[in-house]
């Protein structure tokens, strides 16, 4: 729980850092009335519509030209440097008509390039007002817009406030994009070592967040200055939807297997697909009003968010350690999206800087979740290393003779067939071994077998193994295998005499040695060596018998 306290403290620190000083701005959307006309309609036509139908919500009426009209009972005075600030949404034309208290009207309009020249971080831009007389009414229109954002976020701000936001925002977003990019590089390095799906999905999620932050901040225009407004809006929608979709899939394979029920896993995968379908609908479905676009966007992605919250909650209740990092990392994003949904459905109003929280939350999520990913990566790697060590141990045990500790028949055959071909193969048998067991007991007999195995196994590149009982096999690789085999055979007698006192006679060994041809298999070589071993025993034991030329797969 110590990690959780540190992460929560970091969340609070980020939120405190983000809390801005009060700004001298005048929000207009809350007191504005919506109207819609044809593309050639003017403010008088919009006012006539409002007089007939009453004050409508912004973007709720069908029409090519959407209006927001604000009338001031008491005319307001502005400084000459005041700007009209609003949020970027797709349009083909945007304009403002200002009616002053002295009866004059000033109308200006701009094409989408104004969003590039006068852009601010977090998908905002400004329009010049250039009016010093007291203002009686402001009418803002946008043509062919998909969303009411360009109307519902209108505010009058001082030019110096916009300039400060542009400067500090550019620096902060450059930092945020850098923070988001670093975990991507780390995950790519992790992926080269450990092929885990959650690394792929976290890279996809962080990559989409990076594209979204770079586009919303305007940094994308530094790389692609010719990018059209429509293209930018599509990039924003798709990158945001892709980050949510990838995040849902990431959650399914990141938390521990037992942390999510099969039903919850299904819901998360369905939510990921739903996020993509919502984006398809936003891009291609015919919507009657801009407000329909906003409703589909907020409600559609809100469903994904609710499923994600439910999944994180279930994982936390089941004791998932990975879910702690996800819950902490996604906390700012979830709170920001809940705030946006609540404001979108009219539950309350909030200052504009609440919108900025999402961008900091995206960067914070990427960094915190990356810490969790790193921890999960190390845990999985430790588990994999332990599994590999266990597998190696089990394989070693499966190929090791339990009494003597040298290779068993299976391992000897594998070395013969897969390793470099031996120059010679010798079969060794201890003479009169049954008498040792009968006279001194099996404990002494087992000790004799272990000492004999040690004598055979300490011979450099040669490989020794136990076939069973008192019978051993040597794979010999030296240039003079017969001499080496004889030295090892005699070493058995010397080492047993030194380490097993009290025997009534020396322990000797008989040996049959063959030189295999390339086509001889292990069984044929052992069979040929076994015949020579019997010949050694028939000749009186305690000797080595080599192979004469043979047509049975071995040669002298």
């Amino acid at each position: 729980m110590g990690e959780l306290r540190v992460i929560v403290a970091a969340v609070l620190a980020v939120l405190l850092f983000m809390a801005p000083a009060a700004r001298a701005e005048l929000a207009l959307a809350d007191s504005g009335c919506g109207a819609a006309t044809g593309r050639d309609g003017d403010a008088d036509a919009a006012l006539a519509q409002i007089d007939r139908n009453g004050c409508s919500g912004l973007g709720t009426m069908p029409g090519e030209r959407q209006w927001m009209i604000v009338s001031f009972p008491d005319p307001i005075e502005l400084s000459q440097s005041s700007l009209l600030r609003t949020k970027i949404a797709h349009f083909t034309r945007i304009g403002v008509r200002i009616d002053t208290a002295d009866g004059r009207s000033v109308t200006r309009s701009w094409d989408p390039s104004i969003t590039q020249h006068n852009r601010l971080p977090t998908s905002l831009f400004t329009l010049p007002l250039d009016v010093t007389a007291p203002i009686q009414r402001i009418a803002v229109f946008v043509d062919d817009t998909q969303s009411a954002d360009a109307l519902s976020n209108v505010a009058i701000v001082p030019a110096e406030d916009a300039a400060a936001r542009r400067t500090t925002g550019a620096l902060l977003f450059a930092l945020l994009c850098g923070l988001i990019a670093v975990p991507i590089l780390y995950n790519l390095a992790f992926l080269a070592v450990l092929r885990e799906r959650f690394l792929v999905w976290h890279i996809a999620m962080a990559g989409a967040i990076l594209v979204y932050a770079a586009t919303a901040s305007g940094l994308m225009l530094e790389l692609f200055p010719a990018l059209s407004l429509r293209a930018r809006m599509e990039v924003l929608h798709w990158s945001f939807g892709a980050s949510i979709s990838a995040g849902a899939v990431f959650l399914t394979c990141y938390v521990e297997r037992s942390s999510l029920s099969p039903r919850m896993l299904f819901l998360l995968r369905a939510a990921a697909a739903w996020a993509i379908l919502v984006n398809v609908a936003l891009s291609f479905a015919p919507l009657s009003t801009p407000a329909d676009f906003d409703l589909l966007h907020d409600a559609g992605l809100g469903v994904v968010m609710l499923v994600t919250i439910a999944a994180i909650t279930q994982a936390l209740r089941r004791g998932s350690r990975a879910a702690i990092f996800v819950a902490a990392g996604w906390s700012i994003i979830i709170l920001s999206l809940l705030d946006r949904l609540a404001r979108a459905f009219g539950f309350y109003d909030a200052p504009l800087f609440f919108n900025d929280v999402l961008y900091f939350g995206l960067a914070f999520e990427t960094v915190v979740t990356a810490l969790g990913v790193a921890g999960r990566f190390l845990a999985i790697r430790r588990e994999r290393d332990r599994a590999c060590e266990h597998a190696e141990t089990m394989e070693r045990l499966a190929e090791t003779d339990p009494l003597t500790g040298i290779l068993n028949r299976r391992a000897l055959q594998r070395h013969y067939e897969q390793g470099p071909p031996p120059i010679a193969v010798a079969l060794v048998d201890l003479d009169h071994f049954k008498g040792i067991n009968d006279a001194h007991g099996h404990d002494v007999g087992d000790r004799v077998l272990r000492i004999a195995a040690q004598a055979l196994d300490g011979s450099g590149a040669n490989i020794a193994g136990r076939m069973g009982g008192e019978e051993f096999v040597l794979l010999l690789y030296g240039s003079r295998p017969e001499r080496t085999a004889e030295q090892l055979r005699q070493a058995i007698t010397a080492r047993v005499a030194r380490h097993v006192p009290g025997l009534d006679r020396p322990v000797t060994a008989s040996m049959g040695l063959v030189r295999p041809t390339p086509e001889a298999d292990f069984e044929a070589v052992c069979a040929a060596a076994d015949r020579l071993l019997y010949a050694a025993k028939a000749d009186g034991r305690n000797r080595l018998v080599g192979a004469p030329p043979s047509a049975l797969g071995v040669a002298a």
Side-chain angles (χ1 to χ4, degrees), residues 21-58:
R23 292 173 178 168
E25 63 180 43
L26 176 62
L28 301 180
D30 292 341
S31 53
C33 291
T37 65
R39 196 175 287 112
D40 296 329
D42 58 12
D44 292 332
L47 284 168
Q49 184 183 107
I50 292 173
D51 290 339
R52 289 193 308 269
N53 302 328
C55 187
S56 301
L58 302 179

Side-chain angles (χ1 to χ4, degrees), residues 126-206:
T126 60
L127 301 171
L129 292 177
D130 297 329
V131 175
T132 56
I135 297 176
Q136 192 77 54
R137 181 183 293 115
I138 292 180
V140 181
F141 72 85
V142 288
D143 289 348
D144 306 310
T145 187
Q146 289 180 318
S147 169
D149 280 349
L151 299 175
S152 58
N153 292 277
V154 175
I156 297 174
V157 298
E160 56 270 19
D161 180 79
R165 184 182 181 92
R166 183 178 295 110
T167 302
T168 58
L171 293 174
L172 285 174
F173 270 91
L175 174 62
L176 291 178
C177 289
L179 288 174
I180 295 170
V182 169
I184 297 176
L185 299 177
Y186 275 115
N187 285 338
L188 288 171
F190 291 155
L191 190 62
V193 178
L194 195 65
R195 305 286 181 174
E196 287 290 334
R197 284 191 306 147
F198 71 82
L199 291 172
V200 175
W201 286 108
H202 193 256
I203 291 171
M205 180 179 67

